Amino acid sequence: MLLKASPALSLLSSTGGGNLFPPSRNSSNLLFSPSGSRFSVKAAKGTKSLTGVVFEPFEEVKKELELVPTTPFVSLARHKFSDDSESAINDQINVEYNVSYVYHALYAYFDRDNVGLKGFAKFFNDSSLEERGHAEKFMEYQNMRGGRVKLQSILMPVSEFDHEEKGDALHAMELALSLEKLNNEKLLKLQSVGVKNNDVQLVDFVESEFLGEQVEAIKKISEYVAQLRRIGKGHGVWHFDQMLLNEV
């Protein structure tokens, strides 16, 4: 099928009557000029030719290709992950497991038949599982970044938590508060390792997953300690235990 140009379009190819579109410049130093029935775009003198290419992946990726490991025992995923960060994460895994172990010992103590505080037993068992979950989360992150998880020794906790002056309930909760504050210090140290090594991913992981939750736990247990100090060692401990038992 043949298409005929309209009279208006035929003006573009006309040689008479002067140029319908005289040469002009725009703000980008580009020269627009008619060429017969077509238009051409030329760069003005003194400017670089336009290629439209800002990112040349096949050129820039060459240096990364040279860094891809070829041995089977080296992580392929590891990128911008320092040895200091890897070591600090393994240390934090050990901290989380140790805290979990102490909480588990507290659970076993309050679950005894001659202690019989099921609410405290439930609280410390849940706390133990939570800290173990934190350790596993750090292990997953270590593997995701291409590090190697190295589990370290865990110290054996004490098994008796009675206190002649304070009683076992207040003594145990004060111990829990101290452990949460210690864990918070360790997390802040891990975050500072990430800052020192310009590891933005590690800093974001610690801040978004742990630090907020940690200060909330410190606030909650601080209130428990204050309440138990008011109650003393008497009948009120049983009512506090029932509160913990029924807490969701």
Side-chain angles (χ1 to χ4, degrees):
M1 181 175 64
L2 297 176
L3 297 176
K4 293 182 65 179
S6 65
L9 292 177
S10 65
L11 292 173
L12 297 177
S13 59
S14 174
T15 57
N19 287 332
L20 184 61
F21 295 92
S24 61
R25 296 180 182 272
N26 67 357
S27 59
S28 301
N29 258 352
L30 296 180
L31 183 64
F32 293 81
S33 61
S35 177
S37 61
R38 296 174 301 164
F39 284 87
S40 62
V41 181
K42 299 178 182 179
K45 290 183 179 180
T47 62
K48 294 182 179 180
S49 62
L50 298 179
T51 63
V53 176
V54 177
F55 172 52
E56 299 183 25
F58 295 105
E59 284 297 321
E60 296 188 27
V61 81
K62 287 180 180 179
K63 61 180 181 180
E64 296 295 337
L65 283 172
E66 295 174 357
L67 298 176
V68 174
T70 56
T71 57
F73 300 107
V74 178
S75 170
L76 296 171
R78 188 168 187 137
H79 186 244
K80 306 293 184 181
F81 189 52
S82 69
D83 292 339
D84 288 344
S85 296
E86 180 180 5
S87 177
I89 290 174
N90 281 328
D91 289 344
Q92 186 61 35
I93 292 170
N94 184 254
V95 170
E96 303 288 349
Y97 270 127
N98 270 285
V99 174
S100 174
Y101 211 28
V102 175
Y103 283 154
H104 222 176
L106 284 162
Y107 152 72
Y109 171 83
F110 285 105
D111 192 53
R112 291 179 186 174
D113 66 292
N114 61 338
V115 177
L117 293 175
K118 295 293 185 179
F120 280 89
K122 175 179 176 291
F123 173 79
F124 286 116
N125 188 47
D126 290 345
S127 298
S128 177
L129 292 174
E130 182 181 5
E131 299 304 327
R132 176 172 176 167
H134 290 172
E136 291 174 352
K137 187 177 288 188
F138 274 114
M139 293 168 73
E140 291 172 0
Y141 183 80
Q142 183 83 292
N143 286 332
M144 182 176 67
R145 293 296 303 276
R148 290 293 177 265
V149 174
K150 295 181 180 178
L151 297 180
Q152 304 168 31
S153 300
I154 299 176
L155 296 177
M156 183 181 72
V158 298
S159 56
E160 301 297 329
F161 297 96
D162 194 19
H163 193 282
E164 184 177 353
E165 179 183 348
K166 299 177 181 179
D168 51 8
L170 175 57
H171 175 57
M173 205 59 75
E174 286 180 344
L175 175 61
L177 178 58
S178 299
L179 287 172
E180 292 299 327
K181 287 184 176 181
L182 177 63
N183 201 357
N184 189 51
E185 290 180 10
K186 299 295 185 181
L187 287 168
L188 291 172
K189 181 180 178 181
L190 175 60
Q191 189 254 14
S192 68
V193 171
V195 171
K196 180 181 177 182
N197 289 278
N198 297 319
D199 194 332
V200 180
Q201 283 93 353
L202 177 58
V203 172
D204 176 69
F205 177 69
V206 175
E207 291 178 348
S208 62
E209 297 288 336
F210 296 98
L211 292 184
E213 179 182 319
Q214 199 64 32
V215 295
E216 290 174 2
I218 290 173
K219 173 65 162 55
K220 179 180 180 180
I221 298 176
S222 295
E223 292 175 348
Y224 286 170
V225 169
Q227 292 164 8
L228 286 167
R229 285 177 177 175
R230 289 178 178 273
I231 290 171
K233 297 192 296 182
H235 186 71
V237 173
W238 184 84
H239 289 284
F240 191 91
D241 179 76
Q242 293 302 299
M243 180 200 73
L244 292 177
L245 186 61
N246 296 316
E247 199 173 57
V248 178

